[in-house]
Amino acid sequence: MLSQELVDSLFPSELPAPGHWARRYPPRELPSGAEVTRFAPSPTGWLHIGGVFTASVDQDIAHHSGGVYLVRIEDTDQSRFDPEAASQFEAAFDYFGIGPDEGGETGGYGPYAQSERGQIYLTYVRELMRQGKAYPCFETKEQGEARVARQRATGALPGYYGEWAIWRDAAEEEVRERLAAGAPYVVRFRSPGAGGRRVSFTDEIRGEITQDDNRNDVVILKSSDQPLRLPTYHFAHAVDDHLMRVTLVIRGEEWLSSVPLHHQLFDALGFPRIPYAHVAPLMKQDGGSRRKLSKRRDPEASVGYYIEQGIPVEAVQYYLRGLANGRLAEMPLPEALATPLRLSEFGVAGPLLDLVKLDDICADFVSTLPGAEILDRVLPWADGYDPDLASVLRAERDLALRALAVEREGADNPRKDLRRWAEFRPVYGFFFPEIFEPVTDPADPRFGGLDPDMVRVIGSGFADGYKPLDPGPAWFEQVRELSARLGFAPSNKEYRKNPDAYPGSIADVSQVIRVLLTGSRRSPDLGQVCAAIGEPEVLRRARALS
Ligand code: GLU
């Protein structure tokens, strides 16, 4: 074991003792049963939607138990740092309503970014070293690679343990020599684990788990030649979750295999162990197989996608909660959002994130919203992603409300054509004169390849006789009259009986009017569209070719 004098010489002399931090971050005064949870993202770009999932679970459990939900930024890997990440976190927290109770500048257990907690970690690294539970390791990168290569060649497990851990019991003299030569070093944890030993623990989702114990002397403090001496995730996790007085660690399944190591670290530091819940990752159906939803490959894995598309947050939350606890998927949305999640009901296999299903949920949800509320949601989205649309909507609020009322307000079966705010322009844009492009090329295949002469005749005929009646059968009567006047068959059936006698049927006439008025072959009820856009606009569109 190295002398205390040597150990202390590696650290700043003013470094506080552990008692200082223990007093600085006292146990919380919370009612019994209150859970303190944390979401601990690394700033590597947009959050993964799985992160939103985990954060929502953290928040849900903390709030339903009368506890605290905090967010800690895990930025110890400076090479992966993305400068955009901070503002992207903010945007994601805002959008999904998962802003923390504690984090950033708020809360008594900060700083909440690991890069600002360097002193705290050093205190505990020194403490472990003083107790002989950690040691400096001067293995170079090349030596490390050679070790792994030899391990591979001899069939030994990779890692720094047993005979491979050459700095574990190095003589003090040797350490002093290296230090004097200015050799960089990392600090490794002296694992108490032995090969072949099994350990058990209870996961809040998975129940009793038995795993191989850790026997690796993992790195806890990164190399001394780095400008910022930061800990590894493993060590920071133990120190932070203890000092932030977290009571339940909910994190991704990828950390499950690290639990034996983490338990060793908690024990060595003299911290009580904290229960874990390891959440299975969201999956994606890829052909015949399932794989993890990946930010690199799947746009919908990134939170940026939901924000840019304007996917309604309640629908996403409802869907995710249903994936977590199947019972909630059977409930109406407001009830499902208010019902507490139960960790014990989480699946062990990763649930499938199916965008088609999400779209259906979104369509259902949006169909329940009053037009004014839809508008209030589309506007802020458009401010960010379609400013031209935003100014049109501000200038034409009443028209927007009339458009949104079509086949929605008072309808038994409200339209379900709007799933995300990015679809507002393609679905509702035609209502607005500033957005609608009058049809000048009816022969285009997107209009079904119509005959321009026929379109001109029908359009001007419709405009000449147009009566702005209330939508309904009386309104449609004018289409019927026009159709008869122009010699079209009164029904498709009639037309099919004697196709040579007519240029087409009334269905063709109304289709031409539809194309002229809406720029599409599919649209809501024409009478309602006309009432929404108003007579002058109806006439302008109908006469586009005249
Ligand atoms: N920073 C870790 C990650 O991004 C967090 C793991 C944890 O929640 O402890 O995966």
Side-chain angles (χ1 to χ4, degrees):
M1 189 167 139
L2 303 178
S3 67
Q4 173 146 350
E5 174 247 316
L6 175 56
V7 168
D8 287 356
S9 73
L10 302 176
F11 295 88
S13 56
E14 71 283 3
L15 194 64
H20 168 82
W21 301 116
R23 283 189 298 279
R24 163 76 186 76
Y25 303 111
R28 293 168 185 267
E29 284 172 24
L30 289 170
S32 88
E35 300 282 11
V36 179
T37 61
R38 89 300 191 269
F39 175 50
S42 298
T44 55
W46 279 114
L47 279 180
H48 191 289
I49 187 68
V52 169
F53 184 46
T54 309
S56 309
V57 179
D58 280 313
Q59 186 188 45
D60 196 82
I61 290 181
H63 288 180
H64 281 290
S65 65
V68 177
Y69 152 64
L70 63 89
V71 168
R72 179 171 71 235
I73 304 299
E74 304 217 317
D75 53 355
T76 58
D77 191 348
Q78 301 271 314
S79 63
R80 293 172 61 221
F81 191 84
D82 180 339
E84 300 274 330
S87 59
Q88 290 170 339
F89 280 155
E90 283 302 311
F93 292 161
D94 271 6
Y95 195 80
F96 286 99
I98 47 173
D101 308 325
E102 267 182 28
E105 302 302 311
T106 312
Y109 290 78
Y112 294 92
Q114 289 183 328
S115 59
E116 294 168 31
R117 299 172 65 83
Q119 291 283 95
I120 306 175
Y121 306 122
L122 288 184
T123 291
Y124 289 95
V125 171
R126 181 180 65 186
E127 199 56 23
L128 289 189
M129 290 180 85
R130 281 176 174 172
Q131 295 172 19
K133 293 175 181 169
Y135 60 89
C137 166
F138 296 86
E139 183 185 70
T140 62
K141 194 160 165 263
E142 294 69 33
Q143 289 168 339
E145 283 163 7
R147 165 172 57 77
V148 173
R150 260 181 299 138
Q151 287 172 326
R152 220 173 263 140
T154 58
L157 291 172
Y160 200 89
Y161 61 92
E163 68 200 90
W164 308 99
I166 48 173
W167 286 98
R168 186 174 228 246
D169 295 308
E172 174 138 346
E173 272 325 295
E174 218 177 327
V175 172
R176 283 185 192 277
E177 241 170 66
R178 291 294 167 116
L179 289 172
Y185 63 94
V186 297
V187 176
R188 287 185 183 272
F189 172 59
R190 183 188 298 271
S191 169
R197 197 196 296 163
R198 304 275 287 169
V199 286
S200 299
F201 69 98
T202 304
D203 183 272
E204 302 291 313
I205 291 176
R206 287 144 205 273
E208 171 98 356
I209 302 235
T210 302
Q211 285 176 330
D212 283 337
D213 197 6
N214 170 64
R215 59 165 172 173
N216 239 319
D217 286 359
V218 297
V219 174
I220 55 174
L221 190 65
K222 296 183 197 180
S223 182
S224 56
D225 60 2
Q226 301 296 311
L228 266 180
R229 284 215 80 180
L230 287 172
T232 55
Y233 164 73
H234 304 298
F235 191 70
H237 151 54
V239 171
D240 288 341
D241 282 325
H242 172 70
L243 290 179
M244 292 181 176
R245 308 294 171 176
V246 168
T247 61
L248 172 62
V249 170
I250 302 169
R251 62 181 179 184
E253 178 192 69
E254 67 271 24
W255 298 109
L256 186 62
S257 59
S258 304
V259 171
L261 162 65
H262 294 165
H263 279 160
Q264 289 176 356
L265 286 169
F266 276 87
D267 296 350
L269 287 160
F271 300 159
R273 295 178 179 187
I274 304 175
Y276 289 109
H278 289 92
V279 178
L282 297 173
M283 307 296 279
K284 162 127 183 157
Q285 189 74 36
D286 193 351
S289 56
R290 284 179 175 206
R291 57 171 175 77
K292 275 193 201 177
L293 192 64
S294 133
K295 262 203 315 191
R296 224 168 5 91
R297 297 168 68 177
D298 312 309
E300 74 271 28
S302 165
V303 160
Y305 172 81
Y306 298 79
I307 297 179
E308 283 159 23
Q309 286 288 308
I311 301 186
V313 57
E314 290 90 338
V316 181
Q317 293 285 26
Y318 176 69
Y319 184 46
L320 292 179
R321 292 171 84 81
L323 291 180
N325 282 186
R327 176 173 60 95
L328 304 189
E330 310 297 321
M331 296 177 184
L333 183 140
E335 194 182 336
L337 294 189
T339 301
L341 290 168
R342 290 191 203 135
L343 285 177
S344 58
E345 287 177 18
F346 276 60
V348 169
L352 208 59
L353 186 100
D354 178 350
L355 274 191
V356 176
K357 239 189 217 135
L358 175 59
D359 271 343
D360 285 348
I361 292 174
C362 291
D364 285 343
F365 171 68
V366 175
S367 77
T368 66
L369 298 179
E373 187 162 346
I374 296 179
L375 199 54
D376 288 347
R377 288 164 180 253
V378 174
L379 264 173
W381 173 85
D383 280 333
Y385 296 98
D386 190 349
D388 290 344
L389 174 65
S391 42
V392 169
L393 292 178
R394 285 210 169 81
E396 298 265 32
R397 188 175 172 86
D398 289 343
L399 171 57
L401 291 174
R402 289 199 300 277
L404 282 164
V406 169
E407 291 183 11
R408 179 188 297 281
E409 240 134 79
D412 290 339
N413 246 335
R415 290 168 82 199
K416 292 191 177 167
D417 51 6
L418 191 59
R419 301 172 298 188
R420 20 179 109 179
W421 314 137
E423 287 176 346
F424 187 88
R425 181 186 273 270
V427 177
Y428 284 87
F430 77 87
F431 281 97
F432 302 89
E434 299 83 344
I435 293 175
F436 180 73
E437 286 178 27
V439 175
T440 52
D441 53 346
D444 191 288
R446 73 199 155 106
F447 301 128
L450 300 172
D451 169 20
D453 288 331
M454 179 177 81
V455 172
R456 188 173 302 114
V457 171
I458 294 176
S460 54
F462 178 74
D464 293 345
Y466 182 67
K467 292 187 282 298
L469 302 173
D470 281 346
W475 184 92
F476 194 71
E477 207 41 49
Q478 57 191 318
V479 178
R480 208 179 290 286
E481 280 164 18
L482 172 68
S483 174
R485 206 159 61 238
L486 297 177
F488 282 76
S491 70
N492 241 334
K493 205 166 141 210
E494 281 302 314
Y495 177 61
R496 271 200 305 273
K497 266 198 244 158
N498 200 355
D500 294 334
Y502 305 103
S505 81
I506 185 170
D508 298 307
V509 174
S510 55
Q511 189 63 349
V512 165
I513 296 171
R514 183 183 310 282
V515 166
L516 282 171
L517 297 184
T518 70
S520 166
R521 287 194 282 170
R522 294 186 55 208
S523 82
D525 177 76
L526 278 182
Q528 293 196 44
V529 169
C530 287
I533 65 179
E535 182 170 3
E537 184 64 10
V538 171
L539 301 183
R540 180 177 83 100
R541 293 183 187 189
R543 293 197 174 114
L545 254 72
S546 315

